[in-house]
Amino acid sequence: MSQYLFFTLSILTIVSALYVVFSRNPMHSVLSLIFCFFTIAGHYVLLNAQFLAIVHIIVYAGAIMVLFLFTVMLLNLNKETEPHKTNWIKIAAVIAAGMLFLVLIASLKSTELGPFHLPYRSTIGFVQNIGIKLFTDYLLPFEVSSILFMSAMIGAVMLAKKEK
Amino acid sequence: MKEVATNYVPQNWYLLLSTFLFCVGIMGVLFRRNAIIIMMCIELMLNSVNLLLVAFSAYSGNSDGQVFVFFIMVVAAAEVAVGLALLVSIYRNVASTDINVLNKLKW
């Protein structure tokens, strides 16, 4: 059953990721990327990482993609204003990415993965376990990330503010 | 035994899927000229790495990888906020997000 779920989710992920790249309308790219993030959240649920699945939906679909969507709307980007590269560069880009994929697959082919636990009954991805980890071992990085957010927020407001 | 065989997704498949997603992200960065779409493709690459980290963490029974993914999400959110603010202020100056217009720093 989980193999079928994996295949369905993977095909949806791959198709929507390719549509992000090949769509001519920036709005369609944004919507397709939101769908892609939902399917990745489905993968997290399949791996029994519930906490990350929820955080992924809240942060990516709820915050980051809304920001992208508002920027695309604010700048009024559409199919007509969309700049395109020449066909030669597009072909070169596809070939370069394909070669990279080939090289990575060739190098991953001979990897030996060690012994593993099946994730379907494990509880390591639950809120309780991640929370304990986050507030004991990773307390300092957690607090530092709040400072990073603060500075990013102030920086974004300063940059986007109109100059007098 | 048969139940286990159909229930079990091999670790390699996640490796393959996230490699493919990463390459799609690379292709998008090389393929498009709109700076906003290029940032979206960077998000796609970050997500492929996140997926692989979660998969390895779940299969090794160690939750450190999932905490790393949490921090990667924090950094990605901060990056997007600053990057989009920069793009909006660039758009205000040159009325375009085309990366071929933004070549003043090019050698």
Side-chain angles (χ1 to χ4, degrees):
Chain A
M1 188 60 200
S2 52
Q3 284 192 354
Y4 296 122
L5 277 175
F6 178 85
F7 272 124
T8 319
L9 282 172
S10 300
I11 288 167
L12 287 173
T13 310
I14 287 170
V15 168
S16 53
L18 285 173
Y19 194 73
V20 172
V21 177
F22 291 113
S23 153
R24 299 200 158 257
N25 193 336
M27 204 58 147
H28 292 175
S29 289
V30 174
L31 294 175
S32 155
L33 193 62
I34 292 174
F35 185 74
C36 183
F37 286 161
F38 272 107
T39 58
I40 289 176
H43 277 295
Y44 290 167
V45 173
L46 203 61
L47 285 165
N48 236 353
Q50 270 91 341
F51 172 69
L52 276 183
I54 296 296
V55 169
H56 188 266
I57 288 176
I58 292 172
V59 171
Y60 276 100
I64 292 182
M65 292 321 291
V66 168
L67 213 57
F68 270 111
L69 208 59
F70 276 168
T71 312
V72 169
M73 285 175 172
L74 185 72
L75 306 188
N76 200 12
L77 301 176
N78 49 40
K79 210 170 168 179
E80 285 74 40
T81 58
E82 178 68 9
H84 280 290
K85 285 190 168 167
T86 57
N87 276 334
W88 280 110
I89 295 179
K90 283 183 178 177
I91 292 167
V94 172
I95 290 175
M99 292 297 246
L100 178 70
F101 184 61
L102 211 66
V103 168
L104 284 174
I105 289 299
S107 63
L108 292 174
K109 191 174 70 81
S110 55
T111 49
E112 293 267 340
L113 296 169
F116 57 86
H117 311 260
L118 285 181
Y120 309 115
R121 285 194 193 82
S122 74
T123 56
I124 56 157
F126 289 4
V127 180
Q128 189 189 5
N129 292 326
I130 299 282
I132 289 170
K133 204 87 182 177
L134 209 54
F135 286 108
T136 54
D137 294 355
Y138 293 92
L139 185 60
L140 182 66
F142 185 76
E143 297 295 343
V144 170
S145 69
S146 69
I147 298 172
L148 174 74
F149 257 139
M150 188 72 186
S151 54
M153 199 170 75
I154 295 171
V157 172
M158 286 299 290
L159 282 171
K161 207 175 61 175
K162 264 213 175 80
E163 284 164 33
K164 292 269 161 60
Chain B
M1 197 61 205
K2 193 162 183 296
E3 193 231 8
V4 172
T6 52
N7 257 334
Y8 152 53
V9 180
Q11 234 170 331
N12 286 330
W13 295 4
Y14 283 105
L15 214 53
L16 201 67
L17 174 67
S18 29
T19 310
F20 188 80
L21 275 182
F22 191 83
C23 290
V24 171
I26 295 261
M27 184 171 72
V29 170
L30 297 173
F31 195 90
R32 300 300 294 254
R33 265 173 60 188
N34 192 340
I36 292 180
I37 310 259
I38 289 176
M39 279 185 69
M40 280 161 56
C41 292
I42 292 170
E43 290 300 306
L44 204 59
M45 285 193 268
L46 280 170
N47 264 284
S48 76
V49 175
N50 278 355
L51 179 62
L52 197 59
L53 268 173
V54 173
F56 277 139
S57 143
Y59 276 91
S60 66
N62 186 346
S63 60
D64 284 343
Q66 305 197 4
V67 179
F68 289 162
V69 170
F70 183 75
F71 288 121
I72 292 174
M73 281 178 187
V74 169
V75 173
E79 173 239 322
V80 164
V82 174
L84 285 176
L86 274 174
L87 276 181
V88 169
S89 65
I90 286 171
Y91 187 84
R92 211 174 275 143
N93 284 321
V94 297
S96 166
T97 54
D98 183 352
I99 54 163
N100 283 17
V101 178
L102 313 173
N103 57 2
K104 297 285 184 291
L105 286 178
K106 206 163 147 188
W107 182 57

